[in-house]
Amino acid sequence: MSRSFMPVPEDMEDLPALQLQGLKWTVSHAYNNSPFYRKKLDDSRVSPEMMRSLDDLRRLPFTTTADLREDYPFPLRAVPFEKIVRVHASSGTTGKRKVLCYTQKDINDWADMFARCFEMARLSVSDRVQIAVGYGLWTAGAGFQLGCERFGAMAVPVGPANTEMHCQLLEDLQSTVFCSTASMALLMVEEIERRGQRDRLSLKKFIFGAERHSRKMRQRIQEITGAEHLFDIPGLTELYGPGTGLECIAHDGVHYWADYFILEIVNPETLEPVIPGEIGEMVVTTLRKEGSPLIRYRTRDLTRLITEPCACGNLLPRHDHILGRSDDMFIFRAVNIYPGQIDHVLSQIPGVGSEYQVHLFRKEDGRDLMVVKVEMLGTDSPDAEKGLAEEITSEFRRQIMVRPQVELVEYGTLPRTERKSKRVFDNRAQD
Ligand code: DLL
């Protein structure tokens, strides 16, 4: 039996006490060692001594990406440079990268958390894990690698590379698990299908994340490869990287590591906690992170807590898949739309492929136009195509209350990427 990375049952019973202890530690560590946090907490008239119960979390100010930009290049740093063994970064939406510092303990904690993901996905040390995400400043490659080694399975550290090389290694090394972005997973399975390679592979599990994926993408990946399990892996650079939670084999949401961070779900407008089970923005507070601790960090990611016990039996709490980002919302003819809603509508329509694009234009008369390009699975007849386009239009009207112009394109013609896909293109002039 390999070692377990799950919390022991007593820790789960004492979770609130463990979280309170971590909260107290984090707030005093940040206050005493980060000039940035000290000022922020002083400005909000909060001191570490005020953290007496978990409810006191709500007295703390929020931290945002704007804070990361303001405190660039080593935002939120709370240890001397001599203790920092690594940085990782992700591209911010508005220019400056988000750079986060890690101490050796942070790296060790991250490895333990990620090893827990592999345990959650029921891997064994005999598994061969082909890692197809970028290595370097991005947390993805380093995270999967660390976790895999800590867990004890065999890492095949390829990076994004090209599909050709991946296909060859999948077959030659008989990799059993493939880890990538959701887009890359789709790109790869289509290549496997094109090569008729399925029966020569031993692929059993996919772990993919870094972006939302649709039900259609899941279906395609499972259909083509016959994989036993697909696991969604969320994660963000600010919170170590990927590895802080994983979908389990019951495939009903994502278990997250509540002994390493507290997750709050708040209404993004009022910043008040939502009723458990309602959708809101994920806000995270770390409990052990030394280099760049997070205090009520607003992730902008939208999800909801799942409060029912999980069929897989694991007691760690769950949240739903990430449903979108509060800053991904766009307004079309006075309707607020999240890309996730579009995935949802298209996922229900038979005959529609897994890729789509939304293009928004402003016409000369000042009215907005939405063009939805959708891949179709088979091209039967012009009549069938017309019917499909009409069905898509009417489902958009029924479910999102907008009327797009639908353009059907052949399967495989929309771009595939090994990184994160962009599917909404807003060409309207910014007033
Ligand atoms: O994307 C870390 C990662 C790498 C996760 C590989 C999973 C696999 P960032 O580049 O900092 O980190 O981007 C973080 O990506 O706030 C979400 O908006 C989005 N995101 C990440 N994973 C998922 C997912 C990595 N599974 C941002 N589903 C996050 C939906 C995701 N969105």
Side-chain angles (χ1 to χ4, degrees):
M1 255 302 272
S2 52
R3 152 185 181 204
S4 172
F5 296 90
M6 291 294 166
V8 291
E10 300 83 74
D11 276 352
M12 283 308 291
E13 273 162 34
D14 289 343
L15 191 58
L18 197 87
Q19 287 188 329
L20 179 59
Q21 190 192 354
L23 176 66
K24 287 181 174 174
W25 177 83
T26 296
V27 177
S28 67
H29 169 63
Y31 188 80
N32 294 323
N33 299 301
S34 153
F36 182 84
Y37 271 127
R38 174 173 288 237
K39 176 166 185 316
K40 198 173 178 64
L41 292 168
D42 280 344
D43 287 351
S44 308
R45 298 178 202 282
V46 186
S47 66
E49 297 72 46
M50 290 161 84
M51 295 299 110
R52 297 208 184 86
S53 81
L54 282 177
D55 290 338
D56 293 322
L57 180 66
R58 289 184 55 189
R59 305 168 82 148
L60 292 163
F62 289 94
T63 308
T64 64
T65 44
D67 292 325
L68 293 189
R69 271 203 300 279
E70 193 185 312
D71 202 24
Y72 186 82
F74 297 103
L76 319 182
R77 181 175 63 90
V79 293
F81 282 106
E82 295 72 30
K83 282 201 74 187
I84 298 172
V85 298
R86 196 194 290 180
V87 295
H88 277 291
S90 78
S91 46
T93 36
T94 46
K96 280 181 185 161
R97 289 176 198 285
K98 301 176 200 162
V99 184
L100 282 300
C101 301
Y102 299 69
T103 64
Q104 188 57 55
K105 179 178 184 299
D106 294 337
I107 297 285
N108 290 342
D109 284 347
W110 188 19
D112 284 340
M113 279 190 278
F114 215 133
R116 189 185 281 178
C117 291
F118 288 130
E119 185 174 343
M120 193 79 167
R122 309 263 169 110
L123 264 63
S124 83
V125 291
S126 311
D127 272 297
R128 299 176 183 184
V129 183
Q130 191 155 318
I131 303 170
V133 285
Y135 283 72
L137 265 184
W138 199 29
T139 51
F144 277 96
Q145 184 73 29
L146 265 177
C148 188
E149 287 178 3
R150 179 64 55 96
F151 181 76
M154 182 205 287
V156 183
V158 191
N162 53 30
T163 46
E164 160 100 33
M165 182 166 167
H166 273 295
C167 285
Q168 194 185 355
L169 287 166
L170 279 178
E171 185 168 338
D172 294 354
L173 306 190
Q174 291 290 294
S175 306
T176 54
V177 183
F178 190 79
C179 306
S180 66
T181 60
S183 300
M184 177 68 173
L186 182 69
L187 189 73
M188 271 300 296
V189 299
E190 287 179 342
E191 185 61 18
I192 291 172
E193 186 179 46
R194 206 181 59 76
R195 292 165 171 248
Q197 242 188 332
R198 172 175 168 166
D199 295 340
R200 303 196 297 277
L201 304 182
S202 296
L203 253 182
K204 297 198 174 54
K205 291 172 182 168
F206 280 79
I207 302 178
F208 52 75
E211 56 182 349
R212 257 177 324 104
H213 64 268
S214 64
R215 200 142 38 96
K216 287 266 180 200
M217 285 168 84
R218 264 184 116 92
Q219 279 165 4
R220 284 288 290 154
I221 295 168
Q222 205 130 25
E223 253 164 41
I224 295 178
T225 60
E228 287 164 12
H229 290 287
L230 312 180
F231 301 100
D232 183 16
I233 184 162
L236 63 160
T237 312
E238 298 89 309
L239 185 65
Y240 301 89
T244 49
L246 194 83
E247 177 179 336
C248 68
I249 51 152
H251 303 294
D252 186 17
V254 171
H255 288 269
Y256 67 90
W257 312 157
D259 46 346
Y260 285 85
F261 62 97
I262 298 176
L263 176 62
E264 295 172 84
I265 308 283
V266 304
N267 176 318
E269 311 268 302
T270 63
L271 300 181
E272 290 299 317
V274 300
I275 297 165
E278 262 181 27
I279 295 174
E281 179 178 328
M282 299 170 85
V283 170
V284 289
T285 301
T286 53
L287 301 172
R288 319 182 187 193
K289 201 162 179 273
E290 294 181 337
S292 318
L294 300 181
I295 294 181
R296 300 197 90 193
Y297 180 70
R298 292 187 59 186
T299 66
R300 303 282 168 181
D301 287 325
L302 300 170
T303 192
R304 62 183 191 99
L305 288 178
I306 302 179
T307 46
E308 302 80 41
C310 184
C312 83
N314 192 292
L315 296 175
L316 281 158
R318 275 181 302 158
H319 63 74
D320 206 340
H321 297 276
I322 294 171
L323 307 168
R325 292 179 56 82
S326 56
D327 41 13
D328 275 352
M329 188 197 76
F330 60 91
I331 302 178
F332 178 78
R333 297 198 181 171
V335 181
N336 295 358
I337 303 173
Y338 289 103
Q341 291 175 281
I342 296 175
D343 290 356
H344 186 70
V345 171
L346 293 175
S347 282
Q348 297 163 330
I349 304 177
V352 164
S354 46
E355 278 303 314
Y356 70 87
Q357 286 185 346
V358 173
H359 296 264
L360 304 170
F361 301 98
R362 183 149 297 154
K363 295 194 289 189
E364 290 209 332
D365 64 4
R367 283 167 73 87
D368 285 357
L369 170 71
M370 181 192 288
V371 177
V372 182
K373 290 190 182 181
V374 181
E375 287 190 352
M376 4 172 216
L377 280 181
T379 37
D380 288 319
S381 65
D383 274 356
E385 270 184 36
K386 191 159 165 267
L388 183 59
E390 277 167 7
E391 188 178 356
I392 296 171
T393 312
S394 78
E395 282 309 306
F396 265 76
R397 285 194 67 178
R398 197 172 67 79
Q399 300 191 40
I400 322 185
M401 262 98 65
V402 297
R403 189 188 171 85
Q405 182 179 313
V406 175
E407 257 180 48
L408 294 175
V409 297
E410 255 179 61
Y411 189 79
T413 48
L414 291 176
R416 271 46 175 172
T417 166
E418 75 290 344
R419 294 193 65 86
K420 304 191 191 209
S421 286
K422 183 172 164 62
R423 297 193 175 88
V424 178
F425 300 85
D426 196 343
N427 307 297
R428 296 173 295 186
Q430 300 298 315
D431 299 327

